[in-house]
Amino acid sequence: AELEVLMRKMKVCGLLLFAIFLSSCASMTTTYEKPEVSLVSFQPLSRKGMEQTIVIQLNIKNHTKKELSISKFSYSLKVEELEAVRGVFSNLKPIPAFGATKIEFHATMNIFSAFRILESAIKSKNGAIRYALNTKIHSAWWKLASTSAKSGQINLGSTYNL
């Protein structure tokens, strides 16, 4: 009889411990605010042979309360549905908690793609071109890469007096 009472008490204690464990797991937040990446500017520079050099400026926002240390940043930018540029960076400066930083870099693209993009900008009434930006951020403290896909329009009219 005493053994049965002891077994019941152990079952009740086990169930209580399990319930406490589940409620503590439910109260833990495992959400991760992804960094937000946006295209700020896309400016053509010089042309050499069959390559057009452009300057791309991106803005990266950190929405977390921790500094964001980026170990690897990769991007792919399509303009007017043409793969314009892609690349990888490593060891960018950390982004402060709830802060943002702009990164600017030079890239080269095929001159024929550049002409097609310019032609699209001329055909549009306001010099705007469509873009699609895909990024992947690897941080030092989050195991999974954060991916982002943005699309929109950017105006080249002022650059080329369209």
Side-chain angles (χ1 to χ4, degrees):
E2 284 184 36
L3 186 59
E4 287 179 24
V5 172
L6 184 61
M7 290 297 283
R8 260 190 249 154
K9 286 182 180 179
M10 286 180 66
K11 285 182 184 178
V12 169
C13 284
L15 287 173
L16 282 173
L17 285 173
F18 186 68
I20 290 170
F21 174 74
L22 284 179
S23 66
S24 67
C25 287
S27 68
M28 289 175 50
T29 58
T30 58
T31 58
Y32 170 69
E33 283 284 332
K34 287 182 172 185
E36 182 182 336
V37 182
S38 57
L39 178 65
V40 176
S41 71
F42 177 90
Q43 296 291 319
L45 291 178
S46 62
R47 188 179 69 215
K48 287 184 182 176
M50 299 301 283
E51 293 185 333
Q52 171 73 50
T53 302
I54 55 174
V55 175
I56 298 172
Q57 191 177 56
L58 302 175
N59 190 39
I60 306 172
K61 290 182 184 176
N62 178 10
H63 296 288
T64 66
K65 60 184 176 182
K66 290 185 178 179
E67 180 178 80
L68 176 61
S69 295
I70 299 174
S71 59
K72 186 168 105 177
F73 177 86
S74 60
Y75 68 94
S76 171
L77 178 64
K78 287 185 177 184
V79 180
E80 290 298 324
E81 299 180 15
L82 300 169
E83 176 114 17
V85 291
R86 66 175 41 223
V88 178
F89 294 103
S90 59
N91 302 321
L92 296 172
K93 289 183 182 177
I95 302 170
F98 302 110
T101 191
K102 285 188 173 119
I103 58 172
E104 183 177 284
F105 54 92
H106 292 212
T108 57
M109 64 188 303
N110 180 294
I111 193 67
F112 297 113
S113 296
F115 283 140
R116 288 173 64 188
I117 292 167
L118 182 57
E119 178 185 24
S120 294
I122 291 169
K123 285 181 180 177
S124 75
K125 294 189 189 242
N126 60 359
I129 56 170
R130 297 177 315 230
Y131 73 88
L133 174 66
N134 294 306
T135 59
K136 190 182 282 189
I137 295 176
H138 295 265
S139 84
W141 54 270
W142 186 254
K143 303 259 186 254
L144 302 174
S146 170
T147 58
S148 169
K150 294 266 183 165
S151 61
Q153 290 188 339
I154 194 157
N155 191 338
L156 289 182
S158 60
T159 303
Y160 288 107
N161 296 320
L162 301 176

